[in-house]
Amino acid sequence: EAQVTQNPRYLITVTGKKLTVTCSQNMNHEYMSWYRQDPGLGLRQIYYSMNVEVTDKGDVPEGYKVSRKEKRNFPLILESPSPNQTSLYFCASSSAWGGNSPLHFGNGTRLTVT
Amino acid sequence: GENVEQHPSTLSVQEGDSAVIKCTYSDSASNYFPWYKQELGKRPQLIIDIRSNVGEKKDQRIAVTLNKTAKHFSLHITETQPEDSAVYFCAASHPVNYQLIWGAGTKLIIKP
């Protein structure tokens, strides 16, 4: 089944404790992206990747890191999480550049930072 | 910067009636306009999209219209059903980096 898989689905952590949210897609998509979703603010892009080893900042990249060492994986890293990073996170992939073809979203990761 | 405005933020309609959600975008060079539906607790999913060389596109009860001159596009849902209740997001492609610029979302409530 074609899908984007995020793990974990739920994560509660404390301020400053490094964490990684994994994202993997099995559709051989070139493009992957991370979003955060907060009430009233819609979807805001954190980082995106057009291809392996190519990553770019989105609208809200501060406090996040990403890597794209393999085509299928695009982990999101929070080196020192803070409470304002409490949010619902979505990974997405697309066969093209994301702005011109359908995005396939993962099921989301709900992160709480205390 | 590039911007997409979406209205209304909440829309309540009687089951069986039509619903219309409107978005305006700022850059006339945007050329791809998708609509995503997000049911409660679930991920966004594409329901329909349109490109700038087309004025209207229809898929069963859902249609999207694009007015390039006025820089707005709209989602039309006819004969609404309870399963249409969700948050709907519009987006427009950025003309330079091709990333999607998202509207803030519309919560659609279908009253029985």
mmCIF file of all heavy atoms in Angstrom, chain A residues 31 35 37 43 45 48 90 97-103 105-107, chain B residues 31-32 36 38 42-44 46 51 89 93 97-100 102 104:
data_model
loop_
_atom_site.group_PDB
_atom_site.id
_atom_site.type_symbol
_atom_site.label_atom_id
_atom_site.label_comp_id
_atom_site.label_asym_id
_atom_site.label_seq_id
_atom_site.Cartn_x
_atom_site.Cartn_y
_atom_site.Cartn_z
ATOM 1 N N TYR A 31 10.031 14.451 -3.763
ATOM 2 C CA TYR A 31 9.777 15.593 -2.891
ATOM 3 C C TYR A 31 9.197 15.146 -1.554
ATOM 4 O O TYR A 31 8.292 14.314 -1.494
ATOM 5 C CB TYR A 31 8.789 16.535 -3.586
ATOM 6 C CG TYR A 31 8.346 17.726 -2.770
ATOM 7 C CD1 TYR A 31 9.031 18.934 -2.839
ATOM 8 C CD2 TYR A 31 7.235 17.643 -1.936
ATOM 9 C CE1 TYR A 31 8.620 20.032 -2.105
ATOM 10 C CE2 TYR A 31 6.825 18.730 -1.193
ATOM 11 C CZ TYR A 31 7.523 19.928 -1.281
ATOM 12 O OH TYR A 31 7.116 21.016 -0.544
ATOM 13 N N TYR A 35 5.337 19.826 7.899
ATOM 14 C CA TYR A 35 4.440 20.907 8.272
ATOM 15 C C TYR A 35 4.132 20.805 9.753
ATOM 16 O O TYR A 35 4.142 19.722 10.328
ATOM 17 C CB TYR A 35 3.112 20.802 7.519
ATOM 18 C CG TYR A 35 3.190 21.097 6.045
ATOM 19 C CD1 TYR A 35 3.439 20.081 5.126
ATOM 20 C CD2 TYR A 35 2.996 22.388 5.570
ATOM 21 C CE1 TYR A 35 3.495 20.352 3.767
ATOM 22 C CE2 TYR A 35 3.049 22.667 4.216
ATOM 23 C CZ TYR A 35 3.298 21.639 3.327
ATOM 24 O OH TYR A 35 3.356 21.916 1.987
ATOM 25 N N GLN A 37 0.908 22.064 12.356
ATOM 26 C CA GLN A 37 -0.459 22.561 12.313
ATOM 27 C C GLN A 37 -0.871 22.992 13.707
ATOM 28 O O GLN A 37 -0.842 22.200 14.650
ATOM 29 C CB GLN A 37 -1.422 21.481 11.792
ATOM 30 C CG GLN A 37 -2.841 21.985 11.618
ATOM 31 C CD GLN A 37 -3.745 20.963 10.964
ATOM 32 O OE1 GLN A 37 -3.564 19.753 11.106
ATOM 33 N NE2 GLN A 37 -4.738 21.442 10.219
ATOM 34 N N LEU A 43 -1.736 25.150 8.066
ATOM 35 C CA LEU A 43 -0.529 24.347 7.861
ATOM 36 C C LEU A 43 0.639 25.278 7.538
ATOM 37 O O LEU A 43 0.571 26.068 6.604
ATOM 38 C CB LEU A 43 -0.746 23.375 6.700
ATOM 39 C CG LEU A 43 -1.744 22.257 6.963
ATOM 40 C CD1 LEU A 43 -2.283 21.693 5.666
ATOM 41 C CD2 LEU A 43 -1.074 21.164 7.776
ATOM 42 N N GLN A 45 4.747 25.374 6.684
ATOM 43 C CA GLN A 45 5.833 24.521 6.219
ATOM 44 C C GLN A 45 7.099 24.789 7.029
ATOM 45 O O GLN A 45 7.513 25.935 7.214
ATOM 46 C CB GLN A 45 6.085 24.762 4.736
ATOM 47 C CG GLN A 45 7.031 23.757 4.106
ATOM 48 C CD GLN A 45 7.234 24.029 2.639
ATOM 49 O OE1 GLN A 45 7.451 25.157 2.209
ATOM 50 N NE2 GLN A 45 7.145 22.992 1.820
ATOM 51 N N TYR A 48 11.547 21.544 3.473
ATOM 52 C CA TYR A 48 11.198 20.662 2.377
ATOM 53 C C TYR A 48 12.466 20.184 1.675
ATOM 54 O O TYR A 48 13.549 20.750 1.858
ATOM 55 C CB TYR A 48 10.232 21.325 1.393
ATOM 56 C CG TYR A 48 10.764 22.545 0.667
ATOM 57 C CD1 TYR A 48 11.307 22.444 -0.602
ATOM 58 C CD2 TYR A 48 10.679 23.808 1.253
ATOM 59 C CE1 TYR A 48 11.763 23.573 -1.271
ATOM 60 C CE2 TYR A 48 11.131 24.942 0.592
ATOM 61 C CZ TYR A 48 11.671 24.817 -0.674
ATOM 62 O OH TYR A 48 12.125 25.936 -1.339
ATOM 63 N N PHE A 90 2.991 17.094 10.469
ATOM 64 C CA PHE A 90 2.704 16.228 9.329
ATOM 65 C C PHE A 90 3.886 16.201 8.382
ATOM 66 O O PHE A 90 4.455 17.234 8.030
ATOM 67 C CB PHE A 90 1.481 16.730 8.552
ATOM 68 C CG PHE A 90 0.177 16.473 9.231
ATOM 69 C CD1 PHE A 90 -0.479 17.493 9.895
ATOM 70 C CD2 PHE A 90 -0.407 15.215 9.194
ATOM 71 C CE1 PHE A 90 -1.692 17.264 10.521
ATOM 72 C CE2 PHE A 90 -1.622 14.971 9.806
ATOM 73 C CZ PHE A 90 -2.263 16.002 10.484
ATOM 74 N N TRP A 97 7.349 18.654 -7.471
ATOM 75 C CA TRP A 97 7.956 19.618 -6.566
ATOM 76 C C TRP A 97 7.042 20.112 -5.467
ATOM 77 O O TRP A 97 7.310 21.110 -4.837
ATOM 78 C CB TRP A 97 8.459 20.805 -7.368
ATOM 79 C CG TRP A 97 9.728 20.511 -8.089
ATOM 80 C CD1 TRP A 97 10.497 19.392 -7.994
ATOM 81 C CD2 TRP A 97 10.373 21.371 -9.031
ATOM 82 N NE1 TRP A 97 11.578 19.505 -8.827
ATOM 83 C CE2 TRP A 97 11.540 20.702 -9.464
ATOM 84 C CE3 TRP A 97 10.088 22.637 -9.544
ATOM 85 C CZ2 TRP A 97 12.410 21.267 -10.387
ATOM 86 C CZ3 TRP A 97 10.967 23.191 -10.459
ATOM 87 C CH2 TRP A 97 12.109 22.506 -10.866
ATOM 88 N N GLY A 98 5.955 19.416 -5.218
ATOM 89 C CA GLY A 98 5.108 19.756 -4.074
ATOM 90 C C GLY A 98 4.156 20.889 -4.343
ATOM 91 O O GLY A 98 3.039 20.894 -3.854
ATOM 92 N N GLY A 99 4.556 21.836 -5.129
ATOM 93 C CA GLY A 99 3.659 22.938 -5.409
ATOM 94 C C GLY A 99 2.873 22.733 -6.673
ATOM 95 O O GLY A 99 2.065 23.576 -7.041
ATOM 96 N N ASN A 100 3.091 21.623 -7.341
ATOM 97 C CA ASN A 100 2.400 21.408 -8.598
ATOM 98 C C ASN A 100 1.848 20.008 -8.755
ATOM 99 O O ASN A 100 1.451 19.618 -9.847
ATOM 100 C CB ASN A 100 3.342 21.707 -9.756
ATOM 101 C CG ASN A 100 3.508 23.195 -9.973
ATOM 102 O OD1 ASN A 100 2.549 23.896 -10.250
ATOM 103 N ND2 ASN A 100 4.710 23.676 -9.796
ATOM 104 N N SER A 101 1.821 19.255 -7.677
ATOM 105 C CA SER A 101 1.239 17.917 -7.750
ATOM 106 C C SER A 101 0.727 17.530 -6.368
ATOM 107 O O SER A 101 1.120 18.139 -5.372
ATOM 108 C CB SER A 101 2.280 16.910 -8.243
ATOM 109 O OG SER A 101 3.283 16.746 -7.294
ATOM 110 N N PRO A 102 -0.163 16.573 -6.305
ATOM 111 C CA PRO A 102 -0.794 16.220 -5.029
ATOM 112 C C PRO A 102 0.208 15.796 -3.956
ATOM 113 O O PRO A 102 1.157 15.060 -4.224
ATOM 114 C CB PRO A 102 -1.706 15.053 -5.420
ATOM 115 C CG PRO A 102 -2.011 15.271 -6.856
ATOM 116 C CD PRO A 102 -0.754 15.840 -7.439
ATOM 117 N N LEU A 103 -0.053 16.258 -2.750
ATOM 118 C CA LEU A 103 0.729 15.872 -1.590
ATOM 119 C C LEU A 103 0.057 14.680 -0.898
ATOM 120 O O LEU A 103 -1.153 14.658 -0.733
ATOM 121 C CB LEU A 103 0.821 17.026 -0.599
ATOM 122 C CG LEU A 103 1.767 18.166 -0.926
ATOM 123 C CD1 LEU A 103 1.565 19.305 0.051
ATOM 124 C CD2 LEU A 103 3.213 17.697 -0.914
ATOM 125 N N PHE A 105 0.011 12.905 2.660
ATOM 126 C CA PHE A 105 0.382 13.190 4.043
ATOM 127 C C PHE A 105 0.468 11.927 4.881
ATOM 128 O O PHE A 105 -0.264 10.953 4.651
ATOM 129 C CB PHE A 105 -0.661 14.113 4.681
ATOM 130 C CG PHE A 105 -0.558 15.550 4.252
ATOM 131 C CD1 PHE A 105 -1.201 15.990 3.104
ATOM 132 C CD2 PHE A 105 0.177 16.460 5.002
ATOM 133 C CE1 PHE A 105 -1.105 17.321 2.697
ATOM 134 C CE2 PHE A 105 0.270 17.789 4.608
ATOM 135 C CZ PHE A 105 -0.361 18.218 3.458
ATOM 136 N N GLY A 106 1.367 11.957 5.864
ATOM 137 C CA GLY A 106 1.381 10.937 6.889
ATOM 138 C C GLY A 106 0.249 11.176 7.875
ATOM 139 O O GLY A 106 -0.498 12.155 7.766
ATOM 140 N N ASN A 107 0.128 10.293 8.873
ATOM 141 C CA ASN A 107 -0.980 10.380 9.826
ATOM 142 C C ASN A 107 -0.771 11.401 10.929
ATOM 143 O O ASN A 107 -1.662 11.614 11.747
ATOM 144 C CB ASN A 107 -1.252 9.014 10.442
ATOM 145 C CG ASN A 107 -1.978 8.104 9.467
ATOM 146 O OD1 ASN A 107 -2.797 8.551 8.676
ATOM 147 N ND2 ASN A 107 -1.669 6.826 9.505
ATOM 148 N N ASN B 31 0.085 29.035 -10.429
ATOM 149 C CA ASN B 31 -0.564 28.274 -11.501
ATOM 150 C C ASN B 31 -1.164 26.945 -11.076
ATOM 151 O O ASN B 31 -1.624 26.164 -11.907
ATOM 152 C CB ASN B 31 0.428 28.048 -12.650
ATOM 153 C CG ASN B 31 1.623 27.223 -12.211
ATOM 154 O OD1 ASN B 31 1.680 26.742 -11.086
ATOM 155 N ND2 ASN B 31 2.570 27.054 -13.113
ATOM 156 N N TYR B 32 -1.151 26.646 -9.777
ATOM 157 C CA TYR B 32 -1.715 25.376 -9.307
ATOM 158 C C TYR B 32 -2.468 25.637 -8.012
ATOM 159 O O TYR B 32 -1.931 26.260 -7.096
ATOM 160 C CB TYR B 32 -0.593 24.361 -9.098
ATOM 161 C CG TYR B 32 -1.049 23.032 -8.532
ATOM 162 C CD1 TYR B 32 -1.875 22.184 -9.261
ATOM 163 C CD2 TYR B 32 -0.636 22.627 -7.268
ATOM 164 C CE1 TYR B 32 -2.285 20.968 -8.736
ATOM 165 C CE2 TYR B 32 -1.025 21.418 -6.740
ATOM 166 C CZ TYR B 32 -1.854 20.585 -7.485
ATOM 167 O OH TYR B 32 -2.264 19.379 -6.975
ATOM 168 N N TYR B 36 -7.700 20.660 -0.041
ATOM 169 C CA TYR B 36 -7.519 19.505 0.816
ATOM 170 C C TYR B 36 -8.626 19.475 1.863
ATOM 171 O O TYR B 36 -9.052 20.507 2.372
ATOM 172 C CB TYR B 36 -6.148 19.545 1.516
ATOM 173 C CG TYR B 36 -5.006 19.195 0.598
ATOM 174 C CD1 TYR B 36 -4.478 20.147 -0.276
ATOM 175 C CD2 TYR B 36 -4.456 17.922 0.587
ATOM 176 C CE1 TYR B 36 -3.438 19.829 -1.137
ATOM 177 C CE2 TYR B 36 -3.415 17.586 -0.266
ATOM 178 C CZ TYR B 36 -2.916 18.548 -1.127
ATOM 179 O OH TYR B 36 -1.888 18.224 -1.979
ATOM 180 N N GLN B 38 -9.655 17.841 5.597
ATOM 181 C CA GLN B 38 -9.101 17.218 6.786
ATOM 182 C C GLN B 38 -10.227 16.897 7.755
ATOM 183 O O GLN B 38 -10.792 17.799 8.390
ATOM 184 C CB GLN B 38 -8.055 18.110 7.456
ATOM 185 C CG GLN B 38 -7.351 17.431 8.618
ATOM 186 C CD GLN B 38 -6.289 18.299 9.259
ATOM 187 O OE1 GLN B 38 -6.351 19.524 9.218
ATOM 188 N NE2 GLN B 38 -5.277 17.677 9.835
ATOM 189 N N LYS B 42 -7.639 13.454 11.546
ATOM 190 C CA LYS B 42 -7.005 12.739 10.434
ATOM 191 C C LYS B 42 -6.072 13.665 9.641
ATOM 192 O O LYS B 42 -5.942 14.841 9.929
ATOM 193 C CB LYS B 42 -8.076 12.135 9.537
ATOM 194 C CG LYS B 42 -8.937 11.112 10.262
ATOM 195 C CD LYS B 42 -9.722 10.252 9.307
ATOM 196 C CE LYS B 42 -10.459 9.154 10.052
ATOM 197 N NZ LYS B 42 -11.268 8.313 9.156
ATOM 198 N N ARG B 43 -5.438 13.099 8.651
ATOM 199 C CA ARG B 43 -4.504 13.863 7.834
ATOM 200 C C ARG B 43 -5.239 14.589 6.713
ATOM 201 O O ARG B 43 -6.311 14.146 6.282
ATOM 202 C CB ARG B 43 -3.473 12.916 7.213
ATOM 203 C CG ARG B 43 -4.130 11.850 6.358
ATOM 204 C CD ARG B 43 -3.141 10.816 5.914
ATOM 205 N NE ARG B 43 -3.829 9.652 5.362
ATOM 206 C CZ ARG B 43 -3.225 8.582 4.897
ATOM 207 N NH1 ARG B 43 -1.915 8.522 4.908
ATOM 208 N NH2 ARG B 43 -3.913 7.579 4.410
ATOM 209 N N PRO B 44 -4.677 15.666 6.200
ATOM 210 C CA PRO B 44 -5.279 16.323 5.028
ATOM 211 C C PRO B 44 -5.193 15.404 3.816
ATOM 212 O O PRO B 44 -4.193 14.697 3.622
ATOM 213 C CB PRO B 44 -4.391 17.561 4.833
ATOM 214 C CG PRO B 44 -3.704 17.757 6.134
ATOM 215 C CD PRO B 44 -3.511 16.390 6.713
ATOM 216 N N LEU B 46 -6.096 15.377 -0.518
ATOM 217 C CA LEU B 46 -6.491 16.143 -1.697
ATOM 218 C C LEU B 46 -7.873 15.694 -2.168
ATOM 219 O O LEU B 46 -8.143 14.500 -2.291
ATOM 220 C CB LEU B 46 -5.477 15.922 -2.816
ATOM 221 C CG LEU B 46 -5.778 16.659 -4.118
ATOM 222 C CD1 LEU B 46 -5.404 18.128 -3.975
ATOM 223 C CD2 LEU B 46 -5.031 16.029 -5.291
ATOM 224 N N ARG B 51 -5.548 23.775 -12.432
ATOM 225 C CA ARG B 51 -4.381 24.508 -12.926
ATOM 226 C C ARG B 51 -4.857 25.756 -13.644
ATOM 227 O O ARG B 51 -6.007 25.861 -14.048
ATOM 228 C CB ARG B 51 -3.546 23.619 -13.838
ATOM 229 C CG ARG B 51 -3.026 22.406 -13.090
ATOM 230 C CD ARG B 51 -2.013 21.580 -13.835
ATOM 231 N NE ARG B 51 -1.693 20.375 -13.054
ATOM 232 C CZ ARG B 51 -0.762 20.336 -12.118
ATOM 233 N NH1 ARG B 51 -0.041 21.397 -11.850
ATOM 234 N NH2 ARG B 51 -0.535 19.221 -11.444
ATOM 235 N N PHE B 89 -8.932 23.135 3.313
ATOM 236 C CA PHE B 89 -7.830 24.065 3.085
ATOM 237 C C PHE B 89 -7.652 24.293 1.590
ATOM 238 O O PHE B 89 -7.617 23.334 0.811
ATOM 239 C CB PHE B 89 -6.518 23.505 3.633
ATOM 240 C CG PHE B 89 -6.458 23.416 5.138
ATOM 241 C CD1 PHE B 89 -6.723 22.230 5.783
ATOM 242 C CD2 PHE B 89 -6.116 24.536 5.895
ATOM 243 C CE1 PHE B 89 -6.656 22.144 7.165
ATOM 244 C CE2 PHE B 89 -6.054 24.452 7.281
ATOM 245 C CZ PHE B 89 -6.326 23.258 7.916
ATOM 246 N N SER B 93 0.197 27.617 -5.527
ATOM 247 C CA SER B 93 1.635 27.365 -5.669
ATOM 248 C C SER B 93 2.401 28.681 -5.761
ATOM 249 O O SER B 93 1.982 29.614 -6.448
ATOM 250 C CB SER B 93 1.916 26.520 -6.912
ATOM 251 O OG SER B 93 1.505 27.211 -8.073
ATOM 252 N N ASN B 97 9.387 29.344 -5.983
ATOM 253 C CA ASN B 97 9.936 28.104 -5.408
ATOM 254 C C ASN B 97 8.956 26.929 -5.480
ATOM 255 O O ASN B 97 9.280 25.830 -5.053
ATOM 256 C CB ASN B 97 10.401 28.329 -3.963
ATOM 257 C CG ASN B 97 9.259 28.625 -3.007
ATOM 258 O OD1 ASN B 97 8.091 28.376 -3.286
ATOM 259 N ND2 ASN B 97 9.593 29.172 -1.858
ATOM 260 N N TYR B 98 7.775 27.154 -6.016
ATOM 261 C CA TYR B 98 6.771 26.116 -6.270
ATOM 262 C C TYR B 98 6.211 25.478 -5.004
ATOM 263 O O TYR B 98 5.487 24.492 -5.078
ATOM 264 C CB TYR B 98 7.321 25.012 -7.197
ATOM 265 C CG TYR B 98 7.794 25.560 -8.514
ATOM 266 C CD1 TYR B 98 9.151 25.678 -8.792
ATOM 267 C CD2 TYR B 98 6.891 26.004 -9.466
ATOM 268 C CE1 TYR B 98 9.594 26.213 -9.986
ATOM 269 C CE2 TYR B 98 7.325 26.537 -10.668
ATOM 270 C CZ TYR B 98 8.667 26.634 -10.916
ATOM 271 O OH TYR B 98 9.104 27.163 -12.102
ATOM 272 N N GLN B 99 6.499 26.052 -3.836
ATOM 273 C CA GLN B 99 5.895 25.515 -2.616
ATOM 274 C C GLN B 99 4.462 26.018 -2.490
ATOM 275 O O GLN B 99 4.089 27.054 -3.035
ATOM 276 C CB GLN B 99 6.710 25.946 -1.401
ATOM 277 C CG GLN B 99 8.155 25.475 -1.451
ATOM 278 C CD GLN B 99 8.268 24.003 -1.730
ATOM 279 O OE1 GLN B 99 7.839 23.172 -0.932
ATOM 280 N NE2 GLN B 99 8.837 23.655 -2.882
ATOM 281 N N LEU B 100 3.652 25.268 -1.745
ATOM 282 C CA LEU B 100 2.263 25.663 -1.577
ATOM 283 C C LEU B 100 2.133 26.725 -0.497
ATOM 284 O O LEU B 100 2.757 26.642 0.555
ATOM 285 C CB LEU B 100 1.411 24.455 -1.206
ATOM 286 C CG LEU B 100 1.160 23.444 -2.320
ATOM 287 C CD1 LEU B 100 0.374 22.254 -1.790
ATOM 288 C CD2 LEU B 100 0.435 24.083 -3.497
ATOM 289 N N TRP B 102 -0.683 28.225 1.912
ATOM 290 C CA TRP B 102 -1.950 27.665 2.382
ATOM 291 C C TRP B 102 -2.884 28.739 2.930
ATOM 292 O O TRP B 102 -2.458 29.701 3.556
ATOM 293 C CB TRP B 102 -1.689 26.645 3.489
ATOM 294 C CG TRP B 102 -0.943 25.444 3.023
ATOM 295 C CD1 TRP B 102 0.417 25.322 2.873
ATOM 296 C CD2 TRP B 102 -1.495 24.187 2.652
ATOM 297 N NE1 TRP B 102 0.733 24.067 2.432
ATOM 298 C CE2 TRP B 102 -0.413 23.349 2.290
ATOM 299 C CE3 TRP B 102 -2.788 23.680 2.597
ATOM 300 C CZ2 TRP B 102 -0.599 22.023 1.868
ATOM 301 C CZ3 TRP B 102 -2.980 22.372 2.181
ATOM 302 C CH2 TRP B 102 -1.895 21.558 1.820
ATOM 303 N N ALA B 104 -5.997 29.534 5.677
ATOM 304 C CA ALA B 104 -6.083 29.204 7.097
ATOM 305 C C ALA B 104 -7.106 28.122 7.403
ATOM 306 O O ALA B 104 -7.163 27.623 8.523
ATOM 307 C CB ALA B 104 -6.395 30.458 7.910
#
